[in-house]
Amino acid sequence: MAKSGKGAEGVSRNLNKYFQMMVKIISSGGGDVLKFAGDAMIVLWPPDKSEHVNMRLRRAAQCALYIQQKLDQATLEDDVSLSVKVGIGYGTASVIHIGGTYQ
């Protein structure tokens, strides 16, 4: 199965390709990927003092819509297509660095 590109290697290759396309869209919209978790990711739009929060929310929503338009049911190989679901939340995030030294 590994030689045919199916199985775990195929899943990994296709998810990596899919995430690469998604991260490119997110980065161009000003978002930062905080975490990958299996087949999901958590993305933040960092605060910018020069930008009103409504504009940051708008950029996140536009990014989500663009991802839905471009990547939902994306065909990665002849017999492989992936769909995407997007959720948007607003609020304060606390980030804690554990281990090592943070300066």
Side-chain angles (χ1 to χ4, degrees):
M1 218 181 224
K3 287 186 178 182
S4 69
K6 307 299 180 200
E9 293 86 1
V11 170
S12 177
R13 182 181 59 252
N14 285 310
L15 278 177
N16 284 337
K17 188 187 309 183
Y18 197 65
F19 278 154
Q20 183 179 24
M21 293 184 290
M22 203 175 297
V23 168
K24 188 174 182 179
I25 294 169
I26 291 165
S27 294
S28 69
D32 291 331
V33 176
L34 176 67
K35 179 181 179 178
F36 289 95
D39 65 346
M41 66 175 71
I42 298 173
V43 180
L44 300 176
W45 269 258
D48 180 350
K49 301 282 186 203
S50 66
E51 180 180 56
H52 192 274
V53 68
N54 289 348
M55 288 306 296
R56 196 164 59 249
L57 289 169
R58 179 179 296 209
R59 284 191 298 116
Q62 288 171 332
C63 184
L65 289 171
Y66 190 73
I67 286 171
Q68 284 281 200
Q69 291 170 353
K70 295 296 180 186
L71 297 180
D72 191 44
Q73 300 303 320
T75 301
L76 302 175
E77 291 181 8
D78 288 339
D79 59 343
V80 177
S81 65
L82 296 176
S83 62
V84 64
K85 304 292 184 255
V86 178
I88 298 175
Y90 170 75
T92 303
S94 297
V95 178
I96 300 170
H97 297 275
I98 300 175
T101 57
Y102 179 74
Q103 297 180 17

